[in-house]
Amino acid sequence: MKNNKITIALAGNPNSGKTSIFNNLTGANQHVGNWPGVTVEKKEGSFFYEGIEFKVIDLPGIYSLSASSIDEKIAREFLIQEKPDVVVSVIDSSNFERNFYLALQLLEMGVNLVLNLNMIDVADKKGININEKVLSLILDVPVVKTIANKNRNTEQLKKAIATAAKKERVSNFEVKYNKEIEEAIKNIISKFPSQNMPANERWLAITLLEGDQYLFNMAKKVYNLTDIENIALPEVNKIEKKYNDDILSIIADNRYGYIKGLVNEILTRKKKIGREISDKIDSVVLNKFLGIPIFLFLIYLTFQIVFTVGSPLVDWIGQFFDWLGNAIAPLLIKIGVSSIVVSFLKDGIIDGVGSVIVFLPNILIMFLLLAFLEDSGYMARAAFVMDKFMHSLGLHGKSFIPMILGFGCNVPAIMATRTLESRKDRILTIMAIPYMSCSARLPIYVLFTSIFFPKHQGLIVFSLYLLGIIIAIFVANSFKILFFKKETAPLIMELPPYRLPQTKSALLQMWLKSKIFLYKAGTIIFFTVIIIWILSSLPVGVEYASKQSWIGQIGTFFAPLLKPAGFGFWQAAVALIFGILAKEVVVGTLGTLFGGAESLSQALPHYFTPLSAYAFLITSLIYVPCIATIGVIKRELNWKWALLSTGTSIFLGWFLAVLIYQIGGLIK
Ligand code: GDP
Ligand code: MG
């Protein structure tokens, strides 16, 4: 208190409402000048309260007292040199965490603080409620809520200021830092002379640790601490070495850590009902330990449903096509249709296309369930859950969403990577997607698991999907190490609220996606099946689909390559080669070569063991998804990446099948 006048300073972030508070307090009693030496505006004014005059100074808007900007220097020097009797910390309450950082520094500095929670109306609208009583107790300072632009609660603020001005002692609030910093603070203080030191030695020690030049000079001049650098710097080095970070960040982290804990005590966010339920579900679904198991369980459950519900329907449709083929052939021959045409219709079209169409129920159910997961808001959570994991691999959780879309179809999934900001993330995600098991691969799994693993269909298919994810991440990570070394900044992921999925919308999505499957069956698969039938029937006079046919010769040529994987016979080679057009073709081809879905289940056990069947499934999963995918990679990136992806997947598909088959053989 100088000349019986009480000086108070307003400190706060830009736009916290400082000037509004200043105007409310001082009314017309103000004048504007400049801070000494700089052209930064200095507003001063005054008001009377209970007969005492209070001089008010509006400090420049600042975020911290770290004194890196001119405004920060002005504010800090004023606080240190002028020693105002009261400092009012004006806070935008709707943004408490960020605004409170400055207040925290003011408290550490040991000023006589009044905490002014301004913009309470805005906070209210955001559903933020601050318990000012508890806050005041914790900080040991008066807390006043205001709405400055409406001049609300100005009297209370004046009263709090007047009371604070009379206070004998200031709050002895302290931020507890981590062990190393606390030790450094103690060491520095122990070197201070025992006399003529400021009351807030702790604050001085902290600012010296922060390497504040102004304070170093002051310490030398005012406190005769000529050796201060040699005292503080070794402490700083020790801490920086230990944490491998700069001291300012370490100290700031500690302060934010404190603020986080404080917020937890005094601030509540009211949410709309929907949000509350969302949060409850999220606390389980996004749980650190439960998150990934829940995700895996849901995916597993999906396939379990796909099979338990789908398989009986698949059997019926399969029986229908067999009946159709068997019934139609004699009929056609009876009415004089040539045997070539009959074979074309029965062996080619009905058996080939039919063997793919039978899986429509599985596909429908799978798309329906995926649509439910997506519409409910869970898919975004899955990405969130995987975020940490993905980060450890240099990818973002955001990349996981296009990857999950890959379960449906790789082509739109690759297009969905357009939402990723950085090119690096896009490339790596696109390289990963082809290993996500798309629905076209499902018929192969269904066919083989129903024959070789009838009791564990869901489990085996689950293992394939999981393997796909693992390889996708492995490939992305390898490419990252090979081609991109630099790290990218983290992204914040926002979670949509949960919604009850609309059956109608889910059914619509299911139908739209399944239509693509049917369309493929009607076009690409149809034509490939025709080509395969032709190649199987030539040269003229050869037994249909025999080893001597053209297709048999093509397959025989490649078959030795597949031998180490356990399926070195020509039909498998042919199926895989034509499967490059579209994965469903693998089944269609086998259907054409072995004759229909029913006969497939009798024929395949002669060629495969469960082990080689599993190896075959792995190859089917991993090698080139289809030409459409290669095409879209080329379109989104370029030929180089398209070829690299194709080459990698062919190699991995072959290599892993060999690995599994060989190791499996040893175990037996
Ligand atoms: P300063 O940058 O800290 O000096 O902030 P100002 O006093 O200039 O205020 C910034 C803006 O916030 C102005 O448009 C004010 O009218 C508005 N404002 C100040 N206090 C409040 C408040 O309590 N509630 C609302 N809704 N607006 C406020
Ligand atoms: Mg202002």
Side-chain angles (χ1 to χ4, degrees):
M1 207 188 307
K2 294 161 208 126
N3 320 325
N4 271 344
K5 237 194 251 174
I6 291 168
T7 317
I8 66 172
L10 303 184
N13 291 13
N15 284 318
S16 56
K18 250 166 359 72
T19 303
S20 310
I21 291 284
F22 177 80
N23 292 340
N24 293 346
L25 289 174
T26 60
N29 270 327
Q30 45 175 276
H31 69 268
V32 180
N34 272 343
W35 292 93
V38 286
T39 52
V40 177
E41 189 179 85
K42 181 183 189 186
K43 276 182 144 180
E44 289 182 77
S46 63
F47 68 91
F48 282 87
Y49 188 83
E50 289 174 347
I52 301 171
E53 187 176 4
F54 291 80
K55 195 175 122 189
V56 188
I57 287 126
D58 189 13
L59 295 176
I62 51 174
Y63 293 105
S64 80
L65 288 176
S66 304
S68 45
S69 76
I70 183 96
D71 285 354
E72 284 167 0
K73 281 200 183 99
I74 291 171
R76 221 206 21 203
E77 283 179 35
F78 180 84
L79 294 171
I80 293 172
Q81 284 168 9
E82 305 293 319
K83 297 195 182 65
D85 299 291
V86 178
V87 177
V88 178
S89 169
V90 184
I91 281 182
D92 169 1
S93 310
S94 70
N95 204 348
F96 182 86
E97 283 96 328
R98 191 180 150 96
N99 272 247
F100 190 74
Y101 191 84
L102 177 65
L104 193 77
Q105 282 188 305
L106 289 168
L107 278 166
E108 284 194 297
M109 199 173 178
V111 302
N112 188 4
L113 197 82
V114 170
L115 196 64
N116 174 199
L117 298 177
N118 190 36
M119 305 221 177
I120 283 298
D121 56 330
V122 185
D124 245 17
K125 269 203 203 100
K126 276 196 183 171
I128 293 172
N129 182 41
I130 298 174
N131 187 335
E132 80 255 52
K133 290 213 180 72
V134 177
L135 183 59
S136 172
L137 277 176
I138 293 175
L139 301 178
D140 187 23
V141 297
V143 178
V144 183
K145 288 182 172 175
T146 55
I147 305 173
N149 63 333
K150 299 213 177 100
N151 203 357
R152 199 77 52 83
N153 268 10
T154 307
E155 278 313 300
Q156 278 95 320
L157 185 59
K158 281 183 181 170
K159 189 175 167 201
I161 292 169
T163 315
K166 281 183 239 158
K167 236 169 49 174
E168 292 294 313
R169 52 156 208 106
V170 296
S171 158
N172 49 17
F173 167 88
E174 277 178 11
V175 174
K176 200 111 188 75
Y177 289 89
N178 63 33
K179 206 172 83 223
E180 290 74 14
I181 295 178
E182 285 295 341
E183 246 160 50
I185 293 171
K186 225 193 280 160
N187 289 345
I188 292 176
I189 291 178
S190 74
K191 305 277 166 55
F192 286 165
S194 48
Q195 271 160 12
N196 293 330
M197 283 303 291
N200 46 1
E201 284 186 332
R202 184 182 163 84
W203 168 75
L204 184 63
I206 294 168
T207 19
L208 290 174
L209 273 180
E210 284 181 302
D212 195 304
Q213 207 49 53
Y214 177 81
L215 263 296
F216 272 129
N217 290 338
M218 198 175 85
K220 281 182 202 161
K221 274 196 212 118
V222 183
Y223 306 124
N224 265 327
L225 281 163
T226 43
D227 205 26
I228 188 65
E229 261 118 345
N230 293 333
I231 297 171
L233 292 183
E235 300 289 344
V236 171
N237 287 338
K238 212 160 59 189
I239 296 167
E240 290 191 336
K241 215 179 212 159
K242 163 100 205 250
Y243 287 90
N244 196 18
D245 201 352
D246 68 293
I247 187 81
L248 288 178
S249 319
I250 300 167
I251 291 182
D253 279 353
N254 272 265
R255 289 190 181 126
Y256 277 118
Y258 176 85
I259 295 174
K260 222 171 171 186
L262 178 71
V263 162
N264 201 22
E265 293 295 319
I266 56 110
L267 189 145
T268 52
R269 283 171 219 276
K270 231 197 316 337
K271 276 139 203 156
K272 292 177 202 96
I273 301 297
R275 264 288 166 200
E276 246 170 30
I277 296 171
S278 269
D279 281 358
K280 283 226 179 80
I281 302 175
D282 277 347
S283 67
V284 178
V285 164
L286 299 181
N287 180 281
K288 207 161 61 182
F289 304 105
L290 296 176
I292 291 181
I294 288 176
F295 165 69
L296 293 177
F297 175 73
L298 282 175
I299 297 292
Y300 171 73
L301 195 68
T302 303
F303 298 121
Q304 214 52 55
I305 297 173
V306 163
F307 289 108
T308 44
V309 181
S311 295
L313 300 170
V314 168
D315 289 346
W316 291 344
I317 301 179
Q319 282 159 13
F320 167 77
F321 275 108
D322 276 341
W323 167 84
L324 190 68
N326 291 333
I328 248 175
L331 217 70
L332 290 174
I333 288 171
K334 221 182 195 168
I335 58 170
V337 179
S338 79
S339 63
I340 288 269
V341 177
V342 173
S343 158
F344 172 74
L345 284 175
K346 183 189 171 292
D347 302 328
I349 308 296
I350 296 176
D351 287 353
V353 176
S355 56
V356 178
I357 299 273
V358 289
F359 299 110
L360 186 63
N362 296 121
I363 302 269
L364 284 172
I365 297 166
M366 162 127 122
F367 277 130
L368 184 67
L369 295 175
L370 283 182
F372 271 128
L373 284 179
E374 204 171 338
D375 279 3
S376 67
Y378 179 74
M379 280 305 194
R381 265 78 186 176
F384 195 85
V385 163
M386 298 302 281
D387 189 52
K388 254 230 174 71
F389 179 62
M390 300 287 279
H391 268 293
S392 65
L393 303 168
L395 278 172
H396 287 306
K398 264 194 179 173
S399 299
F400 204 65
I401 297 178
M403 283 172 66
I404 294 175
L405 290 180
F407 282 159
C409 173
N410 290 177
V411 173
I414 286 170
M415 294 191 334
T417 60
R418 288 179 192 171
T419 53
L420 302 175
E421 284 90 355
S422 95
R423 182 168 165 82
K424 178 201 111 178
D425 288 341
R426 279 203 69 198
I427 292 176
L428 293 179
T429 311
I430 288 176
M431 289 297 110
I433 286 173
Y435 303 99
M436 302 305 285
S437 190
C438 68
S439 59
R441 290 165 232 197
L442 195 56
I444 314 176
Y445 305 160
V446 181
L447 174 68
F448 278 81
T449 53
S450 68
I451 298 170
F452 296 100
F453 311 98
K455 292 217 179 75
H456 306 286
Q457 272 191 286
L459 191 67
I460 293 286
V461 173
F462 174 66
S463 76
L464 290 165
Y465 276 77
L466 201 60
L467 181 70
I469 297 177
I470 293 169
I471 292 173
I473 288 172
F474 168 77
V475 166
N477 195 34
S478 309
F479 281 0
K480 190 199 106 199
I481 293 168
L482 282 176
F483 300 109
F484 310 94
K485 298 230 159 61
K486 244 176 67 204
E487 277 302 312
T488 41
L491 285 173
I492 308 271
M493 285 207 296
E494 269 160 29
L495 293 176
Y498 284 105
R499 273 165 304 162
L500 225 54
Q502 301 294 289
T503 316
K504 212 172 121 193
S505 125
L507 283 172
L508 186 70
Q509 282 187 58
M510 169 192 89
W511 173 238
L512 288 176
K513 288 180 176 152
S514 303
K515 239 171 53 184
I516 301 175
F517 171 78
L518 286 177
Y519 179 76
K520 273 206 279 187
T523 53
I524 302 179
I525 298 166
F526 179 79
F527 285 111
T528 341
V529 159
I530 292 177
I531 291 167
I532 291 165
W533 176 81
I534 293 172
L535 291 176
S536 306
S537 308
L538 291 175
V540 185
V542 81
E543 191 194 332
Y544 175 77
S546 66
K547 204 172 172 183
Q548 288 70 38
S549 66
W550 282 1
I551 203 158
Q553 292 173 30
I554 296 173
T556 309
F557 178 78
F558 285 104
L561 268 177
L562 303 176
K563 204 166 169 77
F567 41 89
F569 49 94
W570 65 269
Q571 292 94 332
V574 170
L576 290 174
I577 292 168
F578 283 91
I580 293 176
L581 293 170
K583 282 273 164 92
E584 298 94 329
V585 168
V586 172
V587 171
T589 308
L590 293 173
T592 309
L593 296 182
F594 291 120
E598 276 295 285
S599 351
L600 266 177
S601 55
Q602 284 148 28
L604 289 180
H606 295 303
Y607 293 87
F608 288 96
T609 63
L611 179 61
S612 67
Y614 193 62
F616 185 77
L617 288 178
I618 287 177
T619 304
S620 306
L621 159 71
I622 299 171
Y623 90 112
V624 193
C626 64
I627 38 171
T629 304
I630 302 175
V632 80
I633 296 179
K634 189 241 145 197
R635 205 177 66 210
E636 297 293 312
L637 299 174
N638 54 39
W639 269 122
K640 191 191 101 191
W641 288 111
L643 289 177
L644 186 62
S645 169
T646 311
T648 311
S649 70
I650 290 178
F651 170 75
L652 282 177
W654 174 83
F655 177 75
L656 285 173
V658 171
L659 199 69
I660 291 282
Y661 184 71
Q662 296 300 335
I663 292 176
L666 289 181
I667 291 167
K668 266 206 287 180

